[in-house]
Amino acid sequence: MKRATAAGRGVSPVVFMPFIRWGKSLTAKHKNQRQEGASYALIVLSCINLLNFADRYVPSAVKSLLKKDLHLSDVQTSLPATGMILVYMVAALFFGWIADMRILDRRLILAGGIASWSLVTALAGVSQSFGQLLVFRSLIGVGEAAYMTIVPPMIADFYPIADRNMAYLVFSLSAPLGGALGFVAGSVLGPAWSWRVAFFVCGFPGILVSLLVLTLNDPSPGVNDPDDMRQGVQELQPHGDDDGGGLRKAARKSALGDVRDIVAVPHWIVSEIGMIACSFTVGAMADWYATFLFRTVPGVTIGRAGLVVGACTLLGGVGGSILGSQVAEVVKSRCRNAFLLVSGLFMVPSTVLIYLAVNWTVGQYLSYALGLLSQLCFFTYLAPLNAVMTNCMPVHLRARAGALSILLSHVLGDLISPPIVGAISDGTRSLRAGMQLCWAMSAVAGVAWITGGLLLPPLPGSAGDADDAGPGGVAALPVKEPKAPQPSLLSLLSGEGEAEEEEEPPAALAKDPSGYGAAASVQA
């Protein structure tokens, strides 16, 4: 028997499921261009993210049915979501480390994460007690952590820097659409059949869809980034011909050392400050704004308030994501750090509109309009800030940086904002007093991003002083090149301009420049 060693991307998934037609493990031949299968991967990952948010929000639509059937209190109906966030934060740190160290093929991690959150979503439908519901809903955080720490860096590997804002736009749009899908599924299936059916319908399809991830190509990490941003990946490359791809000692750092490297990047710090502030606002508005409308606006019922908030979140999330991404694309050739500046400047009208929405409640339709417009301006940051936080981070730290961002954004953001607003409301006997924090934190995000956009050096691919090298590991493009045409959604989704990888026999895979750690042996 002749033995061939495929060095590279961790343990090969073919070992586990040989009946699947696997995607390719791409090499680093085609630098700074769309990698083969990029559009297919973006569509699949965005659709799965839609299911992710549908699974996350379906309990909100059937909360009253859950409460009645399982004899829960109001507090108990909220604790499963809190449990999910806590598990999500802790698991994100683990999966960020696993992904960056290339211990296992990231498609396997994604498939396992998707299947696990889908399975426990369905299992929550058979819960007979509060304890069972809490356990199943909390475990969703494990699968979501695997997905959300790996996918953003993977999209960055598929697309060059100039395309990432638009690629993240497509991915970001799936969040409000998925939330709306979960709410509709629960609102329709819950009353017609039962809340259990809603969980089954949202959960089981994801188990099958998880197999689609295994058909994606896997691009070489950092293939579309400057060489100095890939230094850590080169340290993680396999060494020796037959040692199975062990890691260099230079790549073995403590967790504290990784955190120091991440927080040394000023663009990431500025971005994260704003993300925490936005997470705080989102958590407070999502938990309290419907109740606020019911208590303060004459003629608004609690049912109508919930529907209005859901509709505003959907329209504002989709419209704001598109608006922010498109404006950033237009101005990025005219000023440096356009993605930070655009996100920050849109927070100015958002802050004013949120202030009016929580202080000027003179009529139903005016309150609805202010809520919609404030969210339209607010959610403009989603795609541009995803691009900034990816582009500024060295390739070998991206998954861990994403995990740290998840931890901080939840611990200091939407995990604490609802009870803080509630405590202020109880203490002052005025929910309006607590809601003032929403516009204040929106202002904090705007100040952070505008300040960073004006004072920090440009990122790779930005206009302005592109020859300057920024601190904290932020590298600039070595050469100024002619302006490329602005990417369009159609070109991103149609596969236009993608490189084509030539098929090679297994023996030619003995040396894989991809940067993954372990090796898998195949029998020929």
Side-chain angles (χ1 to χ4, degrees), residues 87 108 111 117-118 139 171 232 268 271 303 312 384 409 422 436 500 510 514 519:
V87 172
L108 268 181
W117 93 53
S118 301
L139 288 175
F171 186 72
W268 189 89
S271 300
C312 288
S409 296
Q436 303 304 314
E500 292 188 8
S514 61

Side-chain angles (χ1 to χ4, degrees), residues 327-329 331-344 384 388 453 462-463:
V327 172
E329 283 295 319
V331 304
K332 73 177 183 181
S333 62
R334 295 175 173 84
C335 66
R336 69 182 196 176
N337 290 324
F339 292 177
L340 277 174
L341 287 173
V342 167
S343 300
V388 171
S462 64

Side-chain angles (χ1 to χ4, degrees), residues 327-405:
V327 172
E329 283 295 319
V330 170
V331 304
K332 73 177 183 181
S333 62
R334 295 175 173 84
C335 66
R336 69 182 196 176
N337 290 324
F339 292 177
L340 277 174
L341 287 173
V342 167
S343 300
L345 289 172
F346 268 113
M347 285 296 148
V348 175
S350 172
T351 298
V352 173
L353 289 165
I354 294 174
Y355 175 84
L356 293 175
V358 300
N359 289 287
W360 196 25
T361 51
V362 296
Q364 291 187 45
Y365 296 106
L366 179 59
S367 297
Y368 301 160
L370 289 173
L372 174 60
L373 292 175
S374 65
Q375 296 201 54
L376 182 68
C377 295
F378 182 84
F379 284 113
T380 51
Y381 76 90
L382 289 174
L385 258 293
N386 265 319
V388 171
M389 298 185 80
T390 298
N391 294 344
C392 75
M393 190 58 55
V395 175
H396 69 290
L397 291 173
R398 281 180 179 166
R400 279 168 284 184
L404 182 60
S405 176

Side-chain angles (χ1 to χ4, degrees), residues 36 85 90 109-110 125 142 165 178 203 212-213 342 421 423 485:
E36 182 181 354
I85 292 175
V90 175
I109 302 174
L110 287 176
V142 176
N165 176 45
L212 285 178
V213 174
V342 167
V421 171

Side-chain angles (χ1 to χ4, degrees), residues 157-216:
D157 293 335
F158 271 113
Y159 287 96
I161 292 172
D163 288 349
R164 287 177 188 168
N165 176 45
M166 297 298 289
Y168 286 130
L169 166 62
V170 175
F171 186 72
S172 298
L173 288 176
S174 59
L177 291 174
L181 177 63
F183 191 86
V184 169
S187 300
V188 173
L189 296 174
W193 299 89
S194 79
W195 63 269
R196 300 181 187 278
V197 173
F199 279 97
F200 297 153
V201 169
C202 287
F204 283 127
I207 300 175
L208 299 177
V209 171
S210 65
L211 297 178
L212 285 178
V213 174
L214 304 176
T215 68
L216 303 181

Side-chain angles (χ1 to χ4, degrees), residues 46-295:
S46 298
C47 290
I48 292 173
N49 197 44
L50 185 146
L51 291 178
N52 169 21
F53 277 85
D55 291 351
R56 186 183 297 186
Y57 282 98
V58 70
S60 299
V62 296
K63 182 175 285 193
S64 60
L65 301 176
L66 274 170
K67 180 180 179 180
K68 181 180 179 180
D69 192 25
L70 297 182
H71 308 291
L72 307 179
S73 66
D74 284 341
V75 172
Q76 287 177 317
T77 62
S78 299
L79 287 179
T82 302
M84 189 277 288
I85 292 175
L86 291 173
V87 172
Y88 180 45
M89 294 186 306
V90 175
L93 298 175
F94 170 75
F95 285 113
W97 180 80
I98 290 291
D100 280 337
M101 297 303 286
R102 321 297 178 196
I103 293 174
L104 190 67
D105 189 297
R106 55 185 169 183
R107 292 168 294 185
L108 268 181
I109 302 174
L110 287 176
I114 297 162
S116 68
W117 93 53
S118 301
L119 177 61
V120 292
T121 295
L123 288 176
V126 301
S127 299
Q128 301 298 319
S129 66
F130 167 71
Q132 292 176 0
L133 180 67
L134 178 63
V135 169
F136 288 134
R137 292 301 298 175
S138 296
L139 288 175
I140 289 177
V142 176
E144 289 200 12
Y147 193 76
M148 296 307 294
T149 54
I150 293 174
V151 169
M154 192 173 187
I155 291 175
D157 293 335
F158 271 113
Y159 287 96
I161 292 172
D163 288 349
R164 287 177 188 168
N165 176 45
M166 297 298 289
Y168 286 130
L169 166 62
V170 175
F171 186 72
S172 298
L173 288 176
S174 59
L177 291 174
L181 177 63
F183 191 86
V184 169
S187 300
V188 173
L189 296 174
W193 299 89
S194 79
W195 63 269
R196 300 181 187 278
V197 173
F199 279 97
F200 297 153
V201 169
C202 287
F204 283 127
I207 300 175
L208 299 177
V209 171
S210 65
L211 297 178
L212 285 178
V213 174
L214 304 176
T215 68
L216 303 181
N217 291 341
D218 191 9
S220 176
V223 65
N224 284 317
D225 290 277
D227 289 339
D228 47 359
M229 297 289 278
R230 300 186 70 249
Q231 183 177 359
V233 175
Q234 294 165 0
E235 292 174 347
L236 285 170
Q237 280 186 327
H239 59 90
D241 291 334
D242 301 309
D243 63 358
L247 301 177
R248 295 185 188 274
K249 291 183 179 179
R252 297 184 183 272
K253 285 189 176 182
S254 66
L256 185 59
D258 293 334
V259 172
R260 282 198 299 263
D261 289 344
I262 292 169
V263 300
V265 181
H267 289 77
W268 189 89
I269 289 293
V270 167
S271 300
E272 184 58 24
I273 290 172
M275 294 289 275
I276 291 170
C278 286
S279 177
F280 189 101
T281 300
V282 168
M285 293 289 284
D287 204 61
W288 285 108
Y289 192 56
T291 302
F292 174 78
L293 291 176
F294 172 65
R295 292 183 184 180

